[in-house]
Amino acid sequence: MVILAVWGSTGTMPYEEIIAFIPIFVAVAMALGYDAMTGVAISVVPVGVGFASATVNPFTIGVAQTIAELPMFSGVGYRILILAVMTTVLIIYVMMYASKIKKDPTKSLTYG
């Protein structure tokens, strides 16, 4: 999840490219006793977190800072901090959800 979040924040792993990996993550999650939602959360959500924090993403930060007439990629330290905090919260949340599903599969959002 950390790697996918970092890739998402640099613009090297957009949503279009993660689509190919979703079935792999879902299959692994289900083989380990979790649900499909856990597999999706492990693959898609970190890319969204990375894109939202956009440390050096040229498609968001580069364009926005050029329009705002700010120095290119200024404030990268703050965005790295935001990426770290958001990724940590994401990992904790997904682990709590996965633990709940492992204990009682009927609590799954995709049960049945």
Side-chain angles (χ1 to χ4, degrees):
M1 291 175 75
V2 171
I3 292 170
L4 291 174
V6 170
W7 282 348
S9 75
T10 60
T12 56
M13 178 64 78
Y15 286 112
E16 298 85 14
E17 293 176 8
I18 197 66
I19 290 172
F21 294 104
I22 293 172
I24 297 168
F25 282 98
V26 168
V28 169
M30 292 181 80
L32 293 172
Y34 302 107
D35 64 346
M37 190 64 69
T38 304
V40 171
I42 292 171
S43 57
V44 176
V45 181
V47 175
V49 165
F51 190 79
S53 63
T55 55
V56 291
N57 190 333
F59 306 110
T60 53
I61 299 302
V63 173
Q65 288 189 331
T66 300
I67 292 170
E69 298 178 2
L70 293 171
M72 189 61 71
F73 302 114
S74 63
V76 72
Y78 176 72
R79 289 191 302 276
I80 289 172
L81 174 67
I82 294 299
L83 174 65
V85 170
M86 289 173 58
T87 304
T88 302
V89 169
L90 169 68
I91 290 170
I92 291 168
Y93 182 79
V94 171
M95 288 179 68
M96 287 174 27
Y97 176 79
S99 174
K100 178 176 77 170
I101 299 308
K102 190 77 161 184
K103 290 177 187 172
D104 185 8
T106 62
K107 292 185 178 180
S108 169
L109 296 173
T110 57
Y111 180 72

